[in-house]
Amino acid sequence: MPASRARTPRNTLSPELIVRTALELMESDGTSAFSLRGLAAELGVGPMALYTYFRNKDDLYDAVRNHLMGLLPPVPDGVPWQDQVRAVCRSLRSLMLQHPCLAQLLAGRPLSGQETARVAEGLLGVLRSAGFDKETAARTHTTLFTYVLGSTSWEIQMAAERRDPEAWRRLRTTMESLSATEFPTVVELAPELSRTTGGDPQFNYGLDLLITGLEPHTT
Amino acid sequence: MPASRARTPRNTLSPELIVRTALELMESDGTSAFSLRGLAAELGVGPMALYTYFRNKDDLYDAVRNHLMGLLPPVPDGVPWQDQVRAVCRSLRSLMLQHPCLAQLLAGRPLSGQETARVAEGLLGVLRSAGFDKETAARTHTTLFTYVLGSTSWEIQMAAERRDPEAWRRLRTTMESLSATEFPTVVELAPELSRTTGGDPQFNYGLDLLITGLEPHTT
DNA sequence: ATCGCTAACGTACGGTGTATAGTACACCGT
DNA sequence: ACGGTGTACTATACACCGTACGTTAGCGAT
């Protein structure tokens, strides 16, 4: 018991600290490079210490996702339902862009956790108030949610591809090697395809398509 | 030379055989359980033999994805463009449902490969013929593609969750523990949400929303 | 008959998640 | 004041992963 024993003090860890640090690591090094061992090292702790707070890696992922979902702003009121829908969708999108790991966290394991329910509550409330019947509201919620998820994840993937020079080069050469007789339209529209990839205008274009199609459904 | 030497004969492997076997493994054991070592074992070969045909695991994934995309049927003609769009989107969706690993393959690495270009060619051609200008055609293609991808991936994830009893139980208890005062709409619409999750009607609902919104854009 | 090429091999390395068992401290009833 | 107990953390170990490296065996061409 000579106190020379340099054991770490007792309560250095907490779920919040772990989640926060995990998030930082995922954002600085990329989600795929994230590992429990790396996280433990960053926290100055053995890998197994994390298992005191989380049952396994997926459980930690759940917590991080839940934490991120909690950052979503509330739905604005006092504006037409179309604008409320737009606001909710854009909030989710911009959160995903700000925290690229969120896309993979959402893809890996569908809705669960209190915070995910909160965003559903917001969107469903808007739709119900706008006069959608129960079933249409549910369907619309799923449609909007999956659209935001799919298009934003895609955008993030494309951006990541562009950052990896090797992958980007391969993509370009594949594109350019396409025979103009076999793929006339792709070749003709190549400039538009690469110019319009991603970005707010692309996102808003699809979102407005959905909302336009939605209007006849309000009672 | 005495054939007693039990080395495998020479050309047991081929890219096609590897891709086909990899696909079978992914579909029987799940994408996440797939490993190069398992694949090599299935082929009766050492792990490193695969590197003769593929530069690394991602390269193999690319090949599998390309192979799957090649299974898409051609675009029907002689029908209105709306029906052509529906056909293309439904083909992709049903291919993803038939080969669940495709969702993850598409999520993991965006478009690349000849076969992916072929589906783009089909859809873009339809849109151009329908009178969309270049930019709108490109935007619309991206929107439709990401919608199909997002909503079908989501559906597959949900179905997988439902098959894992542990995850499914956790989800149900989370759902049921939601306070009816904090999440009134979610609680009220719980039946609709779980009833309408996934399935062709849900998919077609969103798809028709998009197509409806699209109509004013033809020249 | 021999040589060179290359397909497939074996070995090894550094990494992963996590099961299991152990250890030292903080707290508590006495 | 003190021994017991729970808990927060450590140590060790296992099975598995992708893949870099160097080697070998069988075929086609010479």
Side-chain angles (χ1 to χ4, degrees):
Chain A
M1 27 218 55
S4 66
R5 207 63 168 85
R7 283 288 206 141
T8 50
R10 226 58 218 309
N11 291 325
T12 48
L13 258 40
S14 75
E16 293 76 19
L17 177 63
I18 294 177
V19 166
R20 204 151 24 94
T21 311
L23 183 56
E24 282 166 17
L25 276 183
M26 287 187 201
E27 283 178 7
S28 66
D29 299 351
T31 318
S32 66
F34 174 80
S35 76
L36 291 184
R37 298 174 112 102
L39 172 58
E42 181 76 19
L43 289 164
V45 117
M48 295 313 290
L50 303 172
Y51 285 79
T52 308
Y53 301 90
F54 299 97
R55 308 212 331 287
N56 51 40
K57 202 186 187 188
D58 276 343
D59 200 27
L60 173 59
Y61 279 154
D62 281 359
V64 173
R65 198 191 47 218
N66 213 44
H67 168 74
L68 283 175
M69 288 304 241
L71 300 179
L72 281 174
V75 185
D77 51 357
V79 298
W81 66 264
Q82 289 93 336
D83 290 335
Q84 293 182 302
V85 168
R86 264 185 273 265
V88 171
C89 293
R90 287 187 187 144
S91 299
L92 179 54
R93 168 179 149 83
S94 77
L95 188 69
M96 289 174 72
L97 289 177
Q98 201 175 339
H99 303 279
C101 57
L102 182 55
Q104 274 163 261
L105 291 175
L106 285 170
R109 179 161 301 200
L111 38 84
S112 82
Q114 191 110 336
E115 295 299 347
T116 310
R118 230 171 41 93
V119 28
E121 176 65 28
L123 186 48
L124 284 170
V126 166
L127 295 172
R128 285 291 278 159
S129 306
F132 289 82
D133 65 59
K134 289 186 183 181
E135 173 155 337
T136 310
R139 286 212 186 290
T140 305
H141 166 260
T142 302
T143 299
L144 289 168
F145 192 75
T146 56
Y147 169 70
V148 176
L149 218 81
S151 79
T152 310
S153 298
W154 186 260
E155 183 174 344
I156 289 171
Q157 281 296 331
M158 291 299 272
E161 201 88 342
R162 209 171 306 232
R163 238 173 284 116
D164 174 6
E166 161 60 16
W168 181 242
R169 194 191 49 72
R170 264 200 303 173
L171 189 86
R172 299 293 292 190
T173 58
T174 307
M175 269 300 243
E176 280 155 17
S177 76
L178 292 180
S179 130
T181 66
E182 202 177 351
F183 304 101
T185 322
V186 172
V187 170
E188 184 196 4
L189 296 197
E192 280 77 12
L193 282 172
S194 77
R195 177 158 45 82
T196 68
T197 283
D200 285 351
Q202 170 67 46
F203 177 77
N204 291 331
Y205 173 78
L207 182 57
D208 286 340
L209 280 186
L210 285 170
I211 293 179
T212 303
L214 229 41
E215 266 149 25
H217 286 84
T218 64
T219 45
Chain B
M1 332 248 117
S4 67
R5 208 56 169 94
R7 279 280 207 154
T8 50
R10 225 62 220 305
N11 291 323
T12 49
L13 259 40
S14 76
E16 293 76 19
L17 178 62
I18 295 177
V19 165
R20 204 152 25 93
T21 312
L23 183 56
E24 282 166 18
L25 277 183
M26 288 187 200
E27 283 177 8
S28 66
D29 299 352
T31 319
S32 66
F34 174 79
S35 78
L36 291 184
R37 298 174 113 103
L39 172 59
E42 181 75 17
L43 288 164
V45 119
M48 294 315 288
L50 303 172
Y51 284 78
T52 307
Y53 301 90
F54 299 96
R55 308 212 334 284
N56 52 39
K57 201 186 189 188
D58 277 344
D59 200 27
L60 174 59
Y61 280 154
D62 281 359
V64 173
R65 200 192 45 221
N66 213 43
H67 168 75
L68 283 175
M69 288 305 240
L71 300 178
L72 281 174
V75 185
D77 51 356
V79 298
W81 67 263
Q82 289 93 336
D83 290 335
Q84 292 182 303
V85 168
R86 264 184 272 265
V88 171
C89 293
R90 288 187 186 144
S91 299
L92 179 54
R93 168 179 149 84
S94 77
L95 188 68
M96 290 173 71
L97 290 177
Q98 201 174 340
H99 304 279
C101 56
L102 182 56
Q104 274 162 261
L105 291 175
L106 285 170
R109 178 163 303 200
L111 38 84
S112 82
Q114 191 109 338
E115 295 299 346
T116 310
R118 227 169 45 90
V119 28
E121 176 66 27
L123 187 47
L124 285 171
V126 166
L127 295 171
R128 287 291 279 159
S129 305
F132 289 83
D133 65 59
K134 290 186 183 183
E135 173 154 338
T136 310
R139 287 212 186 290
T140 305
H141 167 260
T142 302
T143 299
L144 289 168
F145 192 75
T146 55
Y147 169 70
V148 176
L149 218 80
S151 77
T152 310
S153 298
W154 185 261
E155 183 174 344
I156 290 170
Q157 281 295 333
M158 291 298 271
E161 201 88 342
R162 209 172 305 231
R163 239 174 284 113
D164 175 4
E166 161 59 17
W168 181 242
R169 194 192 48 71
R170 264 201 304 173
L171 187 87
R172 299 293 292 191
T173 58
T174 307
M175 268 301 243
E176 280 155 17
S177 76
L178 292 181
S179 127
T181 67
E182 202 176 352
F183 304 100
T185 322
V186 172
V187 170
E188 185 196 6
L189 297 197
E192 280 77 14
L193 283 171
S194 76
R195 177 158 45 80
T196 68
T197 282
D200 285 350
Q202 170 67 46
F203 177 76
N204 291 331
Y205 173 77
L207 183 57
D208 286 340
L209 281 187
L210 285 170
I211 292 179
T212 303
L214 230 40
E215 267 148 23
H217 285 86
T218 65
T219 49

mmCIF file of all heavy atoms in Angstrom, chain B residues 80-113:
data_model
loop_
_atom_site.group_PDB
_atom_site.id
_atom_site.type_symbol
_atom_site.label_atom_id
_atom_site.label_comp_id
_atom_site.label_asym_id
_atom_site.label_seq_id
_atom_site.Cartn_x
_atom_site.Cartn_y
_atom_site.Cartn_z
ATOM 1 N N PRO B 80 -45.482 5.530 -70.969
ATOM 2 C CA PRO B 80 -45.203 6.915 -70.580
ATOM 3 C C PRO B 80 -43.949 6.998 -69.729
ATOM 4 O O PRO B 80 -43.594 6.026 -69.038
ATOM 5 C CB PRO B 80 -46.438 7.316 -69.761
ATOM 6 C CG PRO B 80 -47.516 6.363 -70.163
ATOM 7 C CD PRO B 80 -46.826 5.096 -70.573
ATOM 8 N N TRP B 81 -43.296 8.153 -69.744
ATOM 9 C CA TRP B 81 -42.040 8.281 -68.993
ATOM 10 C C TRP B 81 -42.240 8.043 -67.505
ATOM 11 O O TRP B 81 -41.358 7.506 -66.837
ATOM 12 C CB TRP B 81 -41.374 9.625 -69.264
ATOM 13 C CG TRP B 81 -42.114 10.838 -68.737
ATOM 14 C CD1 TRP B 81 -42.958 11.643 -69.429
ATOM 15 C CD2 TRP B 81 -42.043 11.370 -67.409
ATOM 16 N NE1 TRP B 81 -43.439 12.640 -68.615
ATOM 17 C CE2 TRP B 81 -42.890 12.507 -67.371
ATOM 18 C CE3 TRP B 81 -41.356 11.014 -66.253
ATOM 19 C CZ2 TRP B 81 -43.070 13.278 -66.229
ATOM 20 C CZ3 TRP B 81 -41.531 11.782 -65.101
ATOM 21 C CH2 TRP B 81 -42.373 12.899 -65.095
ATOM 22 N N GLN B 82 -43.416 8.417 -66.987
ATOM 23 C CA GLN B 82 -43.640 8.169 -65.556
ATOM 24 C C GLN B 82 -43.522 6.683 -65.237
ATOM 25 O O GLN B 82 -42.945 6.294 -64.219
ATOM 26 C CB GLN B 82 -45.035 8.653 -65.126
ATOM 27 C CG GLN B 82 -45.195 10.159 -65.087
ATOM 28 C CD GLN B 82 -45.751 10.700 -66.397
ATOM 29 O OE1 GLN B 82 -45.594 10.061 -67.442
ATOM 30 N NE2 GLN B 82 -46.386 11.862 -66.346
ATOM 31 N N ASP B 83 -44.058 5.857 -66.109
ATOM 32 C CA ASP B 83 -43.988 4.425 -65.873
ATOM 33 C C ASP B 83 -42.579 3.892 -66.074
ATOM 34 O O ASP B 83 -42.172 2.934 -65.415
ATOM 35 C CB ASP B 83 -44.967 3.690 -66.798
ATOM 36 C CG ASP B 83 -46.417 3.953 -66.395
ATOM 37 O OD1 ASP B 83 -46.642 4.260 -65.207
ATOM 38 O OD2 ASP B 83 -47.304 3.887 -67.268
ATOM 39 N N GLN B 84 -41.858 4.522 -66.989
ATOM 40 C CA GLN B 84 -40.457 4.115 -67.153
ATOM 41 C C GLN B 84 -39.665 4.404 -65.882
ATOM 42 O O GLN B 84 -38.882 3.571 -65.409
ATOM 43 C CB GLN B 84 -39.839 4.847 -68.351
ATOM 44 C CG GLN B 84 -40.425 4.420 -69.685
ATOM 45 C CD GLN B 84 -39.753 5.127 -70.850
ATOM 46 O OE1 GLN B 84 -39.724 6.355 -70.918
ATOM 47 N NE2 GLN B 84 -39.201 4.343 -71.767
ATOM 48 N N VAL B 85 -39.863 5.600 -65.344
ATOM 49 C CA VAL B 85 -39.172 5.954 -64.104
ATOM 50 C C VAL B 85 -39.541 4.974 -62.999
ATOM 51 O O VAL B 85 -38.671 4.452 -62.291
ATOM 52 C CB VAL B 85 -39.529 7.398 -63.686
ATOM 53 C CG1 VAL B 85 -39.053 7.671 -62.260
ATOM 54 C CG2 VAL B 85 -38.915 8.397 -64.648
ATOM 55 N N ARG B 86 -40.826 4.724 -62.867
ATOM 56 C CA ARG B 86 -41.257 3.763 -61.853
ATOM 57 C C ARG B 86 -40.578 2.406 -62.053
ATOM 58 O O ARG B 86 -40.129 1.777 -61.100
ATOM 59 C CB ARG B 86 -42.778 3.595 -61.917
ATOM 60 C CG ARG B 86 -43.525 4.462 -60.919
ATOM 61 C CD ARG B 86 -45.019 4.172 -60.964
ATOM 62 N NE ARG B 86 -45.660 4.994 -61.964
ATOM 63 C CZ ARG B 86 -46.259 6.154 -61.716
ATOM 64 N NH1 ARG B 86 -46.283 6.621 -60.486
ATOM 65 N NH2 ARG B 86 -46.823 6.851 -62.678
ATOM 66 N N ALA B 87 -40.514 1.972 -63.292
ATOM 67 C CA ALA B 87 -39.928 0.654 -63.561
ATOM 68 C C ALA B 87 -38.461 0.617 -63.141
ATOM 69 O O ALA B 87 -38.017 -0.336 -62.494
ATOM 70 C CB ALA B 87 -40.077 0.311 -65.040
ATOM 71 N N VAL B 88 -37.712 1.650 -63.516
ATOM 72 C CA VAL B 88 -36.292 1.673 -63.161
ATOM 73 C C VAL B 88 -36.122 1.643 -61.651
ATOM 74 O O VAL B 88 -35.345 0.851 -61.109
ATOM 75 C CB VAL B 88 -35.604 2.925 -63.755
ATOM 76 C CG1 VAL B 88 -34.198 3.062 -63.203
ATOM 77 C CG2 VAL B 88 -35.574 2.850 -65.275
ATOM 78 N N CYS B 89 -36.858 2.496 -60.968
ATOM 79 C CA CYS B 89 -36.708 2.572 -59.520
ATOM 80 C C CYS B 89 -37.124 1.265 -58.852
ATOM 81 O O CYS B 89 -36.467 0.798 -57.913
ATOM 82 C CB CYS B 89 -37.537 3.733 -58.969
ATOM 83 S SG CYS B 89 -36.919 5.346 -59.489
ATOM 84 N N ARG B 90 -38.202 0.677 -59.340
ATOM 85 C CA ARG B 90 -38.637 -0.575 -58.728
ATOM 86 C C ARG B 90 -37.666 -1.708 -59.015
ATOM 87 O O ARG B 90 -37.471 -2.599 -58.187
ATOM 88 C CB ARG B 90 -40.042 -0.938 -59.224
ATOM 89 C CG ARG B 90 -41.090 -0.016 -58.634
ATOM 90 C CD ARG B 90 -42.488 -0.469 -58.968
ATOM 91 N NE ARG B 90 -43.451 0.531 -58.501
ATOM 92 C CZ ARG B 90 -44.571 0.848 -59.139
ATOM 93 N NH1 ARG B 90 -44.863 0.249 -60.295
ATOM 94 N NH2 ARG B 90 -45.370 1.752 -58.651
ATOM 95 N N SER B 91 -37.045 -1.684 -60.187
ATOM 96 C CA SER B 91 -36.051 -2.723 -60.480
ATOM 97 C C SER B 91 -34.907 -2.650 -59.488
ATOM 98 O O SER B 91 -34.474 -3.663 -58.923
ATOM 99 C CB SER B 91 -35.489 -2.545 -61.890
ATOM 100 O OG SER B 91 -36.499 -2.648 -62.849
ATOM 101 N N LEU B 92 -34.410 -1.436 -59.287
ATOM 102 C CA LEU B 92 -33.290 -1.278 -58.366
ATOM 103 C C LEU B 92 -33.696 -1.704 -56.967
ATOM 104 O O LEU B 92 -32.975 -2.433 -56.284
ATOM 105 C CB LEU B 92 -32.809 0.178 -58.363
ATOM 106 C CG LEU B 92 -31.650 0.490 -57.426
ATOM 107 C CD1 LEU B 92 -30.471 -0.440 -57.681
ATOM 108 C CD2 LEU B 92 -31.215 1.943 -57.568
ATOM 109 N N ARG B 93 -34.867 -1.259 -56.561
ATOM 110 C CA ARG B 93 -35.353 -1.639 -55.240
ATOM 111 C C ARG B 93 -35.467 -3.148 -55.095
ATOM 112 O O ARG B 93 -35.022 -3.732 -54.111
ATOM 113 C CB ARG B 93 -36.717 -1.007 -54.988
ATOM 114 C CG ARG B 93 -37.425 -1.558 -53.783
ATOM 115 C CD ARG B 93 -38.766 -0.869 -53.591
ATOM 116 N NE ARG B 93 -39.742 -1.743 -52.993
ATOM 117 C CZ ARG B 93 -39.852 -1.950 -51.687
ATOM 118 N NH1 ARG B 93 -39.022 -1.329 -50.888
ATOM 119 N NH2 ARG B 93 -40.746 -2.763 -51.205
ATOM 120 N N SER B 94 -36.042 -3.797 -56.108
ATOM 121 C CA SER B 94 -36.252 -5.226 -55.905
ATOM 122 C C SER B 94 -34.932 -5.984 -55.973
ATOM 123 O O SER B 94 -34.759 -6.998 -55.301
ATOM 124 C CB SER B 94 -37.286 -5.780 -56.886
ATOM 125 O OG SER B 94 -36.726 -5.943 -58.152
ATOM 126 N N LEU B 95 -33.987 -5.452 -56.723
ATOM 127 C CA LEU B 95 -32.658 -6.075 -56.709
ATOM 128 C C LEU B 95 -32.024 -5.947 -55.323
ATOM 129 O O LEU B 95 -31.408 -6.890 -54.816
ATOM 130 C CB LEU B 95 -31.750 -5.414 -57.757
ATOM 131 C CG LEU B 95 -30.410 -6.107 -57.966
ATOM 132 C CD1 LEU B 95 -30.596 -7.460 -58.619
ATOM 133 C CD2 LEU B 95 -29.462 -5.250 -58.795
ATOM 134 N N MET B 96 -32.189 -4.789 -54.708
ATOM 135 C CA MET B 96 -31.635 -4.592 -53.369
ATOM 136 C C MET B 96 -32.313 -5.518 -52.360
ATOM 137 O O MET B 96 -31.660 -6.041 -51.451
ATOM 138 C CB MET B 96 -31.800 -3.136 -52.927
ATOM 139 C CG MET B 96 -30.915 -2.171 -53.681
ATOM 140 S SD MET B 96 -31.272 -0.443 -53.267
ATOM 141 C CE MET B 96 -30.626 -0.362 -51.600
ATOM 142 N N LEU B 97 -33.610 -5.702 -52.517
ATOM 143 C CA LEU B 97 -34.309 -6.589 -51.580
ATOM 144 C C LEU B 97 -33.891 -8.035 -51.780
ATOM 145 O O LEU B 97 -33.763 -8.806 -50.828
ATOM 146 C CB LEU B 97 -35.829 -6.459 -51.763
ATOM 147 C CG LEU B 97 -36.426 -5.138 -51.291
ATOM 148 C CD1 LEU B 97 -37.915 -5.099 -51.593
ATOM 149 C CD2 LEU B 97 -36.174 -4.924 -49.812
ATOM 150 N N GLN B 98 -33.649 -8.381 -53.033
ATOM 151 C CA GLN B 98 -33.278 -9.747 -53.343
ATOM 152 C C GLN B 98 -31.847 -10.045 -52.879
ATOM 153 O O GLN B 98 -31.524 -11.176 -52.521
ATOM 154 C CB GLN B 98 -33.404 -9.956 -54.851
ATOM 155 C CG GLN B 98 -33.549 -11.397 -55.284
ATOM 156 C CD GLN B 98 -33.803 -11.487 -56.778
ATOM 157 O OE1 GLN B 98 -34.220 -10.500 -57.400
ATOM 158 N NE2 GLN B 98 -33.533 -12.638 -57.366
ATOM 159 N N HIS B 99 -31.003 -9.022 -52.909
ATOM 160 C CA HIS B 99 -29.602 -9.176 -52.480
ATOM 161 C C HIS B 99 -29.313 -8.114 -51.434
ATOM 162 O O HIS B 99 -28.763 -7.058 -51.758
ATOM 163 C CB HIS B 99 -28.664 -9.019 -53.664
ATOM 164 C CG HIS B 99 -28.946 -9.943 -54.803
ATOM 165 N ND1 HIS B 99 -28.529 -11.254 -54.823
ATOM 166 C CD2 HIS B 99 -29.613 -9.762 -55.945
ATOM 167 C CE1 HIS B 99 -28.920 -11.834 -55.936
ATOM 168 N NE2 HIS B 99 -29.581 -10.948 -56.647
ATOM 169 N N PRO B 100 -29.633 -8.416 -50.179
ATOM 170 C CA PRO B 100 -29.535 -7.376 -49.155
ATOM 171 C C PRO B 100 -28.136 -6.779 -49.027
ATOM 172 O O PRO B 100 -27.992 -5.630 -48.599
ATOM 173 C CB PRO B 100 -29.923 -8.118 -47.872
ATOM 174 C CG PRO B 100 -30.718 -9.286 -48.336
ATOM 175 C CD PRO B 100 -30.137 -9.678 -49.657
ATOM 176 N N CYS B 101 -27.127 -7.543 -49.399
ATOM 177 C CA CYS B 101 -25.789 -6.988 -49.276
ATOM 178 C C CYS B 101 -25.593 -5.794 -50.204
ATOM 179 O O CYS B 101 -24.744 -4.933 -49.961
ATOM 180 C CB CYS B 101 -24.746 -8.055 -49.569
ATOM 181 S SG CYS B 101 -24.948 -8.830 -51.176
ATOM 182 N N LEU B 102 -26.395 -5.719 -51.257
ATOM 183 C CA LEU B 102 -26.231 -4.620 -52.199
ATOM 184 C C LEU B 102 -26.411 -3.271 -51.529
ATOM 185 O O LEU B 102 -25.714 -2.298 -51.854
ATOM 186 C CB LEU B 102 -27.222 -4.774 -53.365
ATOM 187 C CG LEU B 102 -27.137 -3.723 -54.466
ATOM 188 C CD1 LEU B 102 -25.745 -3.630 -55.052
ATOM 189 C CD2 LEU B 102 -28.148 -4.010 -55.567
ATOM 190 N N ALA B 103 -27.321 -3.201 -50.576
ATOM 191 C CA ALA B 103 -27.539 -1.932 -49.892
ATOM 192 C C ALA B 103 -26.245 -1.459 -49.240
ATOM 193 O O ALA B 103 -25.842 -0.306 -49.392
ATOM 194 C CB ALA B 103 -28.641 -2.085 -48.838
ATOM 195 N N GLN B 104 -25.576 -2.365 -48.546
ATOM 196 C CA GLN B 104 -24.345 -1.970 -47.885
ATOM 197 C C GLN B 104 -23.227 -1.691 -48.881
ATOM 198 O O GLN B 104 -22.388 -0.832 -48.660
ATOM 199 C CB GLN B 104 -23.918 -3.038 -46.881
ATOM 200 C CG GLN B 104 -24.593 -2.842 -45.538
ATOM 201 C CD GLN B 104 -24.540 -4.085 -44.688
ATOM 202 O OE1 GLN B 104 -25.511 -4.832 -44.638
ATOM 203 N NE2 GLN B 104 -23.419 -4.303 -44.032
ATOM 204 N N LEU B 105 -23.233 -2.440 -49.960
ATOM 205 C CA LEU B 105 -22.203 -2.207 -50.959
ATOM 206 C C LEU B 105 -22.380 -0.829 -51.594
ATOM 207 O O LEU B 105 -21.411 -0.132 -51.881
ATOM 208 C CB LEU B 105 -22.268 -3.285 -52.044
ATOM 209 C CG LEU B 105 -21.848 -4.675 -51.604
ATOM 210 C CD1 LEU B 105 -22.078 -5.693 -52.719
ATOM 211 C CD2 LEU B 105 -20.392 -4.686 -51.190
ATOM 212 N N LEU B 106 -23.615 -0.448 -51.820
ATOM 213 C CA LEU B 106 -23.863 0.851 -52.422
ATOM 214 C C LEU B 106 -23.609 1.973 -51.428
ATOM 215 O O LEU B 106 -23.162 3.056 -51.796
ATOM 216 C CB LEU B 106 -25.293 0.934 -52.953
ATOM 217 C CG LEU B 106 -25.549 0.159 -54.241
ATOM 218 C CD1 LEU B 106 -27.037 0.102 -54.549
ATOM 219 C CD2 LEU B 106 -24.799 0.801 -55.399
ATOM 220 N N ALA B 107 -23.904 1.710 -50.161
ATOM 221 C CA ALA B 107 -23.683 2.743 -49.153
ATOM 222 C C ALA B 107 -22.197 2.959 -48.936
ATOM 223 O O ALA B 107 -21.736 4.071 -48.740
ATOM 224 C CB ALA B 107 -24.363 2.351 -47.848
ATOM 225 N N GLY B 108 -21.457 1.860 -48.960
ATOM 226 C CA GLY B 108 -20.042 1.942 -48.637
ATOM 227 C C GLY B 108 -19.212 2.716 -49.628
ATOM 228 O O GLY B 108 -18.274 3.408 -49.260
ATOM 229 N N ARG B 109 -19.570 2.610 -50.878
ATOM 230 C CA ARG B 109 -18.764 3.307 -51.885
ATOM 231 C C ARG B 109 -19.680 3.712 -53.029
ATOM 232 O O ARG B 109 -20.268 2.856 -53.678
ATOM 233 C CB ARG B 109 -17.648 2.391 -52.383
ATOM 234 C CG ARG B 109 -16.808 3.026 -53.459
ATOM 235 C CD ARG B 109 -15.512 2.315 -53.632
ATOM 236 N NE ARG B 109 -14.746 2.270 -52.384
ATOM 237 C CZ ARG B 109 -13.450 2.055 -52.353
ATOM 238 N NH1 ARG B 109 -12.792 1.847 -53.472
ATOM 239 N NH2 ARG B 109 -12.814 2.029 -51.218
ATOM 240 N N PRO B 110 -19.755 4.993 -53.285
ATOM 241 C CA PRO B 110 -20.702 5.494 -54.288
ATOM 242 C C PRO B 110 -20.397 4.974 -55.678
ATOM 243 O O PRO B 110 -19.526 4.138 -55.871
ATOM 244 C CB PRO B 110 -20.510 7.000 -54.217
ATOM 245 C CG PRO B 110 -19.793 7.273 -52.959
ATOM 246 C CD PRO B 110 -18.984 6.063 -52.670
ATOM 247 N N LEU B 111 -21.111 5.520 -56.616
ATOM 248 C CA LEU B 111 -21.070 4.989 -57.973
ATOM 249 C C LEU B 111 -19.664 4.882 -58.530
ATOM 250 O O LEU B 111 -18.837 5.759 -58.409
ATOM 251 C CB LEU B 111 -21.927 5.839 -58.906
ATOM 252 C CG LEU B 111 -21.966 7.352 -58.742
ATOM 253 C CD1 LEU B 111 -20.789 8.014 -59.447
ATOM 254 C CD2 LEU B 111 -23.266 7.843 -59.334
ATOM 255 N N SER B 112 -19.408 3.744 -59.110
ATOM 256 C CA SER B 112 -18.178 3.518 -59.848
ATOM 257 C C SER B 112 -18.411 2.207 -60.563
ATOM 258 O O SER B 112 -19.208 1.386 -60.115
ATOM 259 C CB SER B 112 -16.963 3.416 -58.931
ATOM 260 O OG SER B 112 -16.860 2.119 -58.404
ATOM 261 N N GLY B 113 -17.746 2.014 -61.655
ATOM 262 C CA GLY B 113 -17.939 0.765 -62.373
ATOM 263 C C GLY B 113 -18.916 0.927 -63.510
ATOM 264 O O GLY B 113 -19.850 1.716 -63.455
#
